[in-house]
């Protein structure tokens, strides 16, 4: 009965004897954790979907959203999800890769040339291949991945205009082997830090820079502690919505259908929101004082190739997975 709260059980026990047998449908109160700011589209759409799920299920499935890493940093919440302390969690595939190595494949540097390739791959065979690996590791992943975005590098010390500017650069990266490997290939000094500690790590100068989509640089107010924004677009990152398998299996089929339908629709709506926000956010960040530059991606791709980065990761993911990536992104190594 993982995931059913004490409150629900006590409530159910108190009323069960008063109700005819048929009406004694179980009700479920589940938690949904994420690292995004309260006003990020992920949270707007998750709240909206949770409301619809509760209404359509006549209150049998109530989902409380915990935004902004309220339940802990990502690697900690991943443990809570696995143990059943949290029932739903959106997590970057690259961080999920600490458990499911294949899940970082969409983040291979400079692979996807645009959103057409991203959604074709993630809604197509590459995404299906990753979800199979996630299922084998014992977690439930919903079909539609949510958008985080193309990632850009910010810095308090200097803009990144060419690969050489990354040499010795103290950059925060999320906790993920692929991120660390990529920035090491550029000669940078990456430090693995969960998102809930990024603002203070930048503020206190523990690191000089970080990288994130423009929407998060704006919504998490990273512009307050960063000066430069270099539009490297060095990888695309998305959030898999995951469920604890025991909590998911405890739901009757009709509740599973309702939840899956609304979660997947919310992911598609969130993708549109991010596209809209991203279109206007650079202007907002400039007005807040950030200095932008747009370096040439080809030079970065060539540096990774020469460092053996693509060959190494092809070996780690395996030929089959790599062929699926290249099917959508084009030849890499
Ligand atoms: O930790 C980050 O930088 C974030 C919020 O983009 C991810 O979830 C990977």
């Amino acid at each position: 009965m993982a995931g059913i709260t004490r409150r629900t059980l006590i409530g159910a026990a108190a009323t069960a004897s008063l109700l005819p047998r048929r009406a004694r449908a179980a009700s479920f109160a589940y938690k949904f954790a994420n690292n995004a700011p309260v006003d990020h589209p992920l949270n707007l759409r998750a709240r909206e979907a949770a409301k619809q799920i509760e209404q359509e299920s006549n209150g049998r499935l109530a989902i409380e959203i915990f935004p902004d890493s309220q339940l802990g940093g990502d690697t900690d919440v991943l443990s809570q999800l696995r143990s059943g302390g949290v029932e739903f969690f959106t997590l970057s595939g690259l961080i999920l890769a600490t458990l499911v190595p294949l899940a970082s494949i969409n983040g291979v540097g400079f692979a996807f040339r645009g959103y057409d390739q991203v959604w074709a791959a993630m809604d197509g065979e590459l995404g299906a291949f990753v979800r199979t690996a996630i299922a084998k590791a014992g977690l439930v992943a919903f079909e539609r991945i949510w958008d985080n975005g193309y990632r850009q590098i910010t810095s308090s010390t200097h803009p990144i205009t060419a690969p050489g500017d990354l040499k010795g650069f103290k950059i925060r990266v999320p906790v993920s082997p692929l991120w660390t490997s990529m920035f090491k290939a550029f000669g940078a000094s990456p430090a693995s830090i969960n998102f809930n500690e990024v603002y203070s790590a930048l503020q206190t100068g523990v690191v000089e820079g970080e990288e994130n989509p423009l929407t998060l640089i704006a919504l998490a107010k990273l512009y307050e502690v960063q000066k430069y924004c270099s539009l490297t677009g060095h990888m695309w990152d998305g959030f898999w919505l995951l469920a604890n398998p025991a909590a998911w299996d405890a739901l009757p089929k009709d509740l599973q259908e309702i939840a899956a339908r609304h979660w997947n629709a919310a992911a598609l709506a969130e993708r549109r929101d991010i596209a809209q926000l991203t279109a206007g956010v650079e202007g907002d960040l400039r007005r807040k004082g950030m200095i932008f530059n747009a370096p040439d991606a080809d030079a970065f791709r060539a540096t990774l190739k020469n460092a053996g980065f693509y060959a190494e990761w092809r070996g780690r993911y395996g030929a089959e997975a790599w062929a699926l990536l290249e099917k959508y992104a084009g030849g890499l190594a």
Side-chain angles (χ1 to χ4, degrees), residues 37-121:
V38 181
D39 49 356
H40 186 279
L42 184 150
N43 276 308
L44 304 180
R45 295 301 181 175
R47 281 198 294 274
E48 187 179 77
K51 205 176 289 169
Q52 288 162 340
I53 291 167
E54 186 161 354
Q55 271 168 10
E56 208 181 312
S57 69
N58 295 319
R60 285 188 299 143
L61 178 52
I63 297 154
E64 189 175 356
I65 318 271
F66 294 84
D68 223 357
S69 304
Q70 280 174 10
L71 300 183
D74 278 339
T75 46
D76 183 32
V77 177
L78 177 59
S79 303
Q80 296 177 45
L81 179 80
R82 295 177 71 194
S83 67
V86 164
E87 289 83 11
F88 293 109
F89 179 36
T90 41
L91 181 63
S92 161
L94 279 78
I95 302 174
L96 177 59
T98 55
L99 175 69
V100 184
L102 182 64
S104 64
I105 193 163
N106 61 263
V108 167
F110 302 94
F112 294 122
R113 312 284 175 130
Y115 271 105
D116 287 355
Q117 292 184 355
V118 167
W119 300 134

Side-chain angles (χ1 to χ4, degrees), residues 35 74 92 95 148 151 172 174 179 195 212 216 237 239:
N35 68 9
D74 278 339
S92 161
I95 302 174
N148 188 1
R151 302 181 73 93
R172 170 271 173 173
W179 254 302
F195 191 62
N212 249 298
L216 276 174
D237 179 33
F239 299 110

Side-chain angles (χ1 to χ4, degrees), residues 306-322:
N306 293 337
F309 173 81
Y310 295 114
E312 182 195 335
W313 283 90
R314 183 184 189 282
R316 287 169 82 157
Y317 294 129
E320 191 184 358
W322 196 262

Side-chain angles (χ1 to χ4, degrees), residues 273-292:
D273 295 343
I274 293 278
Q276 246 175 25
L277 259 182
T278 303
V281 78
E282 182 180 331
D284 296 342
L285 290 169
R286 281 181 192 273
R287 281 187 286 280
K288 300 219 187 299
M290 287 201 100
I291 298 166
F292 278 76

